[in-house]
Amino acid sequence: MERTRSYSSGFWVLLLVTTLAAPVLSEAGVGLFNARLKQIVTSSTLKWANLKNEAMENYVIGAITESGEPIYLCRTRHEGDMLIGQLRPDYNSCAVSGTKSYTIFEVMENIENASLIIWTPWYKFNSKPSGAVAVDSSLDTTFVGRIKANIGYSHNIGRINYESTVGELISFDEENNELVENNGEILIEVEPVSYKLDNVELDLHTQHVRQSDPQVFEERLLRNDDDVAATVTTEIEYKFNYTLSWGHGHGIAIGLNTTIEMSDGTQFPQIEWANPYKEEKKELYTLQIFLEPGTACNVSFRGNTTDRDVQYTAKLTTYYKDNNARSRHIRGERIENTVEVEAVYGEIYYMSNNTLVPTTTTTTTTTTTTTTTTTVLPPLPPSVEKNDIGMIMDSNSILEDSSEDMVKGPPEKEDINRSVVGGLGSHPNSGFKIRVTSIALLIPFALLL
């Protein structure tokens, strides 16, 4: 039971994956018939794409409804064959016949509106024209066609099938009636003859530079054998391979002659688009240094390979036969491979004894003086101990009690502050108690007498 349940789960997972993947078709370039090569080639500016609302302005229109809404060219597979169809308003399905339409389909997209496509008259005995748009790139017998409608839509979109040298146009009208015609129009992409890239501006904020380790190309000795000081000069010739590429771009045919001009008027050699410009350059580098008589200097001439890529914006003009031209703005990437060189000068020395020529160095020293004023405070008076205060108070009490001949006044009010600060074991009021006791003993004797 577990094995059966496992197989069943695997089947449903496979079915779910297939269902989710089915509505999306892979995008592919549109096939064009090349009369000179007698075969189908791939367009660089047209492609079959999945429907996207944000790209609808680039979709190729095959007809117009009575209300002015566009009907786009679409294709889908029907009974094993790839057929051209009509993507009518509501744009949910591709109708390939009067009775059949599919929700899984592709729409013909003109990449960045870079392609010049036209509808040209066609007759069944006409040979296959160069640039004719094929429905299926694997077949050179079926092409996109249309015929003017009598009512309803402006045109009825269909396919032109060639059997040997004679063709026929198969389409259907608004009422889904199938039509077979001997004439009509065939869709052709006009082949450009050249490009011009001008008003080129580099976005230096996007520049990336990669360099290899420096490599010494040559060593030179500069010397002054004269009796007076002089500037010694010489030149070094060096060679390197220079490469410059302007990228591929979108909707630009590879290999067409392209002229390039910067926004400041600088012009570059003509290239074949998407093929890098290559050149073996030969240049001179000047070495010079001021030397005193009898001195010399060793110089190392070195360089490193440098790769530099940077984004750019430009106006691309596409030229066609009969001097027709179309322009649009593009953004691309320029990649440059070159060699950057430099001269490294050694220290100057005397040729007579190979000692270095002294150099004079001036050093400036700044000294800062700080004056500090110190104020001497007078010494603090010695502090009085608590025990000493108590002793002084006790001595006063003794002197007061021993004075017999002194007339004593009434007892003074107790000094709270003084009693608080009395020494340990002192009794400030003891003298007062003794005097009271003596007076009390003398009173009885006086009464007896």
Side-chain angles (χ1 to χ4, degrees):
M1 290 298 293
E2 291 182 358
R3 178 178 297 180
T4 303
R5 188 162 50 249
S6 176
Y7 288 160
S8 177
S9 300
F11 170 77
W12 287 112
V13 170
L14 178 61
L15 180 60
L16 176 61
V17 172
T18 305
T19 304
L20 293 175
V24 180
L25 298 176
S26 59
E27 298 184 351
V30 172
L32 305 174
F33 180 74
N34 188 302
R36 180 169 52 87
L37 300 176
K38 304 296 182 183
Q39 66 181 25
I40 298 294
V41 296
T42 302
S43 171
S44 59
T45 55
L46 295 175
K47 71 176 182 179
W48 294 105
N50 296 312
L51 181 65
K52 298 177 183 177
N53 293 332
E54 62 272 16
M56 294 189 71
E57 62 180 8
N58 294 333
Y59 293 158
V60 179
I61 299 174
I64 301 294
T65 65
E66 290 180 302
S67 59
E69 295 178 287
I71 299 175
Y72 300 109
L73 298 179
C74 60
R75 73 171 186 175
T76 188
R77 196 166 293 280
H78 172 68
E79 296 180 356
D81 297 326
M82 189 67 76
L83 300 182
I84 192 70
Q86 305 174 14
L87 183 59
R88 299 174 177 178
D90 81 10
Y91 309 118
N92 292 324
S93 62
C94 180
V96 295
S97 68
T99 59
K100 196 64 178 176
S101 62
Y102 294 88
T103 57
I104 302 173
F105 57 88
E106 296 172 316
V107 189
M108 186 182 296
E109 180 180 351
N110 186 350
I111 303 173
E112 297 184 8
N113 279 319
S115 176
L116 177 59
I117 50 179
I118 58 175
W119 294 94
T120 61
W122 171 85
Y123 185 61
K124 68 175 184 178
F125 293 116
N126 290 351
S127 60
K128 292 179 283 189
S130 186
V133 177
V135 177
D136 189 345
S137 298
S138 62
L139 300 175
D140 63 353
T141 57
T142 306
F143 301 93
V144 178
R146 71 179 185 179
I147 188 171
K148 191 172 181 60
N150 296 324
I151 58 173
Y153 300 156
S154 63
H155 296 82
N156 297 321
I157 301 171
R159 63 188 183 277
I160 296 176
N161 291 334
Y162 274 91
E163 294 181 4
S164 66
T165 58
V166 180
E168 62 178 4
L169 173 59
I170 303 174
S171 66
F172 58 97
D173 59 19
E174 184 180 359
E175 297 178 354
N176 296 328
N177 298 316
E178 186 170 293
L179 307 173
V180 179
E181 305 289 347
N182 294 325
N183 56 57
E185 295 177 332
I186 189 170
L187 183 63
I188 292 177
E189 180 185 31
V190 180
E191 183 180 359
V193 295
S194 64
Y195 296 116
K196 181 180 180 181
L197 206 62
D198 60 355
N199 198 27
V200 180
E201 293 187 358
L202 303 181
D203 185 0
L204 297 179
H205 295 290
T206 64
Q207 180 171 265
H208 295 87
V209 179
R210 297 173 297 278
Q211 290 185 323
S212 63
D213 294 332
Q215 179 181 358
V216 177
F217 294 157
E218 192 171 345
E219 299 277 359
R220 286 290 181 92
L221 173 64
L222 301 182
R223 54 189 295 167
N224 184 3
D225 295 320
D226 295 336
D227 297 332
V228 295
T231 299
V232 180
T233 303
T234 187
E235 289 184 336
I236 295 179
E237 182 183 90
Y238 64 100
K239 300 178 182 179
F240 64 96
N241 294 322
Y242 179 79
T243 304
L244 182 64
S245 172
W246 296 89
H248 293 270
H250 296 285
I252 306 176
I254 296 175
L256 289 186
N257 292 334
T258 305
T259 58
I260 301 171
E261 182 176 344
M262 302 295 290
S263 57
D264 60 0
T266 303
Q267 294 185 349
F268 288 86
Q270 180 175 285
I271 64 170
E272 294 180 350
W273 184 255
N275 295 327
Y277 170 78
K278 297 181 179 180
E279 179 187 1
E280 184 184 43
K281 289 191 173 184
K282 183 186 297 183
E283 295 186 1
L284 292 175
Y285 190 91
T286 301
L287 304 178
Q288 64 177 15
I289 190 172
F290 181 80
L291 295 175
E292 296 291 339
T295 61
C297 177
N298 294 317
V299 183
S300 296
F301 179 66
R302 66 184 189 180
N304 49 24
T305 302
T306 302
D307 295 326
R308 185 181 292 108
D309 59 82
V310 61
Q311 300 288 323
Y312 69 89
T313 57
K315 184 181 76 171
L316 176 68
T317 303
T318 306
Y319 294 96
Y320 303 91
K321 293 180 180 180
D322 302 327
N323 295 324
N324 291 326
R326 300 181 67 190
S327 298
R328 60 189 175 99
H329 290 278
I330 67 168
R331 185 177 184 88
E333 181 182 39
R334 191 184 81 164
I335 302 175
E336 182 182 28
N337 180 272
T338 185
V339 171
E340 293 185 352
V341 296
E342 63 177 352
V344 180
Y345 294 83
E347 297 188 70
I348 302 174
Y349 60 92
Y350 292 106
M351 292 183 289
S352 58
N353 55 12
N354 291 331
T355 59
L356 297 178
V357 175
T359 57
T360 304
T361 304
T362 303
T363 304
T364 303
T365 305
T366 302
T367 304
T368 303
T369 303
T370 303
T371 303
T372 304
T373 303
T374 304
T375 302
V376 180
L377 298 176
L380 295 174
S383 59
V384 180
E385 296 291 337
K386 292 176 64 177
N387 292 339
D388 295 339
I389 296 174
M391 293 177 63
I392 294 171
M393 295 172 61
D394 292 342
S395 300
N396 292 336
S397 299
I398 295 172
L399 290 175
E400 185 178 0
D401 293 339
S402 61
S403 301
E404 297 178 355
D405 299 333
M406 186 177 293
V407 179
K408 296 180 176 61
E412 296 180 357
K413 188 176 182 180
E414 184 178 0
D415 189 349
I416 297 176
N417 293 331
R418 186 176 177 183
S419 66
V420 170
V421 298
L424 182 62
S426 63
H427 301 282
N429 297 328
S430 59
F432 175 75
K433 294 178 180 179
I434 294 172
R435 288 191 296 270
V436 172
T437 304
S438 300
I439 294 172
L441 292 175
L442 291 175
I443 290 175
F445 285 103
L447 294 175
L448 293 176
L449 293 177

